[in-house]
Amino acid sequence: MPSSGLGGKCLSKMFRINYILIISWFFLAACNRTEIMSDSVYGDPGDGIDSIPVEAVLAEPANYTDRIMAVAGTVHEVCQVNGCWLMLRSLETGDGLRVHTEIEESGEYVYTVPTDISGRHAVVFGTLSVTEEDMEAHFQEDAPGKDPALTMIASGVRVSPEETR
Amino acid sequence: MAVMTKAGDWKSYQRVLLPPVKNLHQLHVYREHGGYETLKKVLTEMEPQDVTAEMKRSSLRGRGGAGFPTGLKWSFMPPVKPDVPRYLCCNADESEPGTFKDRQLREYNPHVLFEGSLVAGDGMSLKACYLYVRGEYADWITHMQKELANAYDSKLVGKNMLGTKHNMDIIIHKGAGAYICGEETSLMESLEGKRAYPRIKPPFPAQSGIWKCPTTINNVETLACAPLILGRGADWFASIGAEKNPGPLLYGISGHVNRPGVYEYPTGMLITDLLEIAGGMRGGKKLKALIPGGASVPVLRADMIEGVTMDIESLREAGSMLGTAGMLFLDEDTDMVAFLRRVAHFYHHESCGQCTPCREGTGWMENLITRIDDGEGNLRDLDLLLDLCDQMEGRTVCALADAAAWPVRNTIKRFREDFERRCRPAVWAVNA
């Protein structure tokens, strides 16, 4: 029937318009989301501290130990149990800096990081120190292999949303 | 010649948290002695980030037991979002056995706590503070409510504080007397009107606290230190007591001493000096053991306290913790098995029951220690108790299981002969 034929045409046109509108909405929403994606901060945001690349710190650790600083690098590994430590590694040499989150006297964590941030760019804030022997044993237990001689107890970690590797 | 300790010249120390001023709890007396001047300075002259920076510089560490740097904790609050409220919560649910120092502050100097809360509120850009007080402190709640009402009437709290554009409310919330509510996440659950089960972290309170909003939780004494730091300067505060854990500290001394009570001195005091201040051991008896920071911290034998000072580092080296600085001195006549039985009973009674290792473990702990105390225990029960501690520590949502296991583990380890004497031998003699 002509009327139904006309109705069918209108309906399919309406579906097409709706389809385009829905696709456009998803596209715009995605664009919008990309715009608002920003760094995630865990613990102290460490505002106002200029970061030093992990490569520079690992090259001359004596210049940086025992002072509060910010170190930037790529997250290589993260504690998969609690998110209580992460490893920043130099992409050039493969050397690493082990970063621990702060803990309370009772042994409770005051913040942790997500366990899925490997490959992301991060800036960590804290005091750099040479790894102590008793902690070394714990690291070997957690992540056996080549261990870094440098450790940082970080008061905060800033993780960027995009991967760097 | 007097030995110089980390506490410096403590004999000439002037009290600042509990100064010797009559009727200091009254608003007009508090103001006559410079009260709320720091708040005025903070509201009119300082930016929030300067407040937090000054707190960080002071190196103040939390006085509620965990000992975490306060300024750093404040900096964990996320950036302000206009549509998301933020809260400060004062943990005044002081329930740890042997700890009673915050009660003195609430009774004799409540306005320093209010002022500290308001200063902290400005530092973290928030508008409301909950004071969560344990239910057993009913009299002190009434006392504080009366003084808080006076502060509201004088425009020191609420809208347009001290004639500025700043607003902040303080709400006193009465707990129902559960020890678990002193744990920060269960405290938040209780505030929200739910059963006080601890929450799994993450998310941490700074991200998702009371009603899923950013929240910071501080102890009473910690907040009371804030107006002192911002009024007199971080350098002044950092110059008092132990270098890494500075400031004035309220020592709650109890047990078999001649003059139990709350004493204010710098951190880093020698334990032996504090014992002398408290009048020495009762009846001239010898010291047998010391619990330096509330019932949950490891017990120290008398021979372990020589040269040990009351600060985080020194006590850690000695094999214990500063905790709340609630010092319990036990004399040579103390039955360590009966003492541990009482402690175990407390933790069994106060376990919230959410996690199996804690709910069941604390019960079995009490049963085994009771059996030993009744003279029906076996030597193997001691190893069973230590094994039980292994099964409890680090296996629960909150730290109550650890807090219950530490005294058991350390009391058995450090006073094993006392326990062995009360146990039946492992092998019975057989009559031929």
Side-chain angles (χ1 to χ4, degrees), chain A residues 76-93:
Chain A
H76 188 264
E77 281 172 78
V78 187
C79 167
Q80 291 301 304
V81 181
N82 294 318
C84 65
W85 60 261
L86 58 93
M87 180 93 82
L88 293 186
R89 267 197 206 283
S90 159
L91 295 176
E92 296 159 13
T93 62

Side-chain angles (χ1 to χ4, degrees), chain A residues 41 43-45 102-106 108-112 155, chain B residues 56 65-66 68 72 75-76 201-202 204 312 316 321 399 406:
Chain A
V41 177
D44 186 0
E102 291 261 9
I103 54 167
E104 290 180 342
E105 265 296 285
S106 59
E108 281 206 86
Y109 302 111
V110 286
Y111 75 91
T112 52
S155 52
Chain B
K56 274 187 185 173
F68 192 71
L72 195 56
S75 71
F76 286 0
K201 292 186 272 190
F204 292 87
I312 290 171
R316 191 188 291 147
M321 289 161 72
W406 289 337

Side-chain angles (χ1 to χ4, degrees), chain B residues 123-141:
Chain B
M124 289 179 276
S125 307
L126 45 83
K127 308 278 179 234
C129 168
Y130 285 96
L131 291 181
Y132 189 100
V133 190
R134 70 180 284 197
E136 289 91 336
Y137 284 172
D139 291 345
W140 288 274
I141 291 171

Side-chain angles (χ1 to χ4, degrees), chain B residues 84-85 87 188-189 192 194 199 203-215:
Chain B
V84 180
Y87 298 105
M188 295 187 296
E189 288 285 297
E192 292 177 13
K194 299 175 198 156
R199 295 177 186 173
F204 292 87
Q207 279 96 47
S208 178
I210 304 169
W211 292 291
K212 294 192 168 41
C213 298
T215 304

Side-chain angles (χ1 to χ4, degrees), chain B residues 13-19 24 30 33-39 41-42 54-55 58 60 63 74 105 109 112-113 115-117 119 220-238 240 247-250 264:
Chain B
Y13 174 75
Q14 303 283 320
R15 280 154 35 196
V16 286
L17 286 168
L18 291 170
L24 187 63
Y30 184 71
H33 287 83
Y36 290 103
E37 287 301 316
T38 304
L39 177 65
K41 176 183 160 189
V42 165
E54 193 73 351
M55 290 299 288
S58 74
L60 167 67
R63 304 293 198 224
W74 289 11
L105 270 171
N109 202 359
V112 79
L113 171 59
E115 190 176 3
S117 305
V119 163
V220 171
E221 192 185 338
T222 311
L223 286 173
C225 287
L228 302 174
I229 292 165
L230 294 155
R232 300 180 187 215
D235 293 331
W236 165 82
F237 190 87
I240 299 171
L249 185 65
L250 297 178
E264 183 188 329

